[in-house]
C-alpha cells in the first residue's frame, strides 16, 4: 500500500481552492506525460506524506506547485472520491478541498516531482464566468457550479460530499 494511502486503499489527497482578491480561482494545466493533447485543468494539491495532516499537505502542495505560501487556509469545502487513469496506472483517491485566499497572483513552482515536471504545463487564474463557459476538461467536473455557490453563499457549514467520479 502506498505511503499516502488510507487503510481502505484510497490515496489521501488535499486540494486547495485558491481564490485571489477578485474571486478568481487558480487552476493548474495538466496532461498525460506522453500526450500533451490529453489535457485538463485541476486545483493544486496532492497526496499526504508521512504523518502530515491534511492541512499541512494542502499548504505544502500549494507551495511546491505554485510557490504561493502567503495564504489563509480556510475550511474543507468538499470531499470527493475519484478514480482515473494517469501515467500508466489507476489512481483511487479520497480528496478534501480546502478554501484558501491569497493576495499573491504570480506563480512559480518550487518543488515539482519528476512526474509533475512531465505533466503540468502551467497555471491560470479563472473567473467564475470563464470557468462556466470553458470547453476544456476541468476536475472536479462540476467546479464552475461549485465555485458559483461558494461565491454566492460562502463556505458550507460542513464539507459537501461530491459525487464519486470514475474516469
Amino acid at each position: 500500500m502506498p505511503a499516502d494511502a488510507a487503510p481502505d486503499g484510497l490515496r489521501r489527497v488535499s486540494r486547495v481552492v485558491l481564490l485571489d482578491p477578485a474571486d478568481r480561482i487558480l487552476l493548474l494545466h495538466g496532461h498525460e506525460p506522453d500526450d500533451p493533447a490529453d489535457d485538463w485543468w485541476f486545483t493544486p494539491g496532492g497526496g499526504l506524506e508521512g504523518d502530515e495532516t491534511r492541512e499541512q499537505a494542502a499548504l505544502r502542495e500549494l507551495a511546491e506547485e505554485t510557490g504561493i505560501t502567503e495564504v489563509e487556509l480556510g475550511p474543507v469545502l468538499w470531499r470527493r472520491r475519484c478514480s482515473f487513469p494517469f501515467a500508466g496506472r489507476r489512481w483511487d483517491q479520497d480528496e478534501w478541498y480546502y478554501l484558501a485566499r491569497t493576495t499573491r497572483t504570480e506563480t512559480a513552482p518550487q518543488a515539482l516531482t519528476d512526474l509533475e515536471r512531465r505533466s503540468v504545463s502551467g497555471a491560470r487564474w479563472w473567473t467564475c464566468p470563464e470557468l462556466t463557459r470553458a470547453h476544456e476538461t476541468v476536475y472536479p467536473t462540476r467546479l464552475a457550479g461549485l465555485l458559483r455557490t461558494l461565491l454566492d453563499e460562502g463556505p458550507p457549514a460542513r464539507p459537501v460530499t461530491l459525487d464519486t467520479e470514475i474516469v
Side-chain angles (χ1 to χ4, degrees):
M1 180 177 344
D4 56 3
D8 60 7
L10 293 172
R11 180 174 183 245
R12 295 174 299 151
V13 171
S14 291
R15 298 207 161 279
V16 180
V17 175
L18 185 64
L19 301 179
D20 74 359
D23 284 336
R24 297 180 305 169
I25 185 172
L26 181 67
L27 297 180
L28 302 179
H29 191 211
H31 57 83
E32 272 294 330
D34 299 322
D35 184 5
D38 183 1
D39 68 333
W40 55 88
W41 293 89
F42 64 102
T43 57
L48 277 64
E49 293 181 356
D51 61 356
E52 72 183 348
T53 65
R54 288 202 184 247
E55 293 86 356
Q56 290 167 332
L59 293 171
R60 176 186 50 76
E61 286 284 341
L62 184 65
E64 289 175 358
E65 294 175 349
T66 71
I68 297 175
T69 56
E70 306 86 18
V71 300
E72 178 183 321
L73 193 64
V76 177
L77 301 170
W78 316 307
R79 292 182 62 178
R80 173 181 87 136
R81 289 189 174 196
C82 60
S83 179
F84 55 92
F86 174 67
R89 67 169 260 217
R90 178 150 291 276
W91 300 73
D92 298 308
Q93 301 189 157
D94 175 29
E95 300 181 336
W96 291 20
Y97 289 78
Y98 286 87
L99 175 61
R101 291 200 170 265
T102 186
T103 57
R104 180 174 161 199
T105 56
E106 317 90 46
T107 61
Q110 300 297 307
L112 298 180
T113 66
D114 177 60
L115 181 57
E116 288 168 333
R117 281 191 295 279
R118 293 185 296 123
S119 63
V120 178
S121 57
R124 176 181 162 195
W125 291 95
W126 296 72
T127 66
C128 193
E130 287 170 338
L131 200 53
T132 300
R133 291 189 305 267
H135 294 290
E136 293 96 339
T137 301
V138 177
Y139 294 110
T141 56
R142 294 178 41 234
L143 185 57
L146 293 165
L147 180 60
R148 178 78 274 147
T149 299
L150 173 64
L151 296 176
D152 289 347
E153 301 174 10
R158 62 178 98 30
V160 174
T161 300
L162 306 181
D163 293 338
T164 297
E165 286 192 53
I166 300 174
V167 178

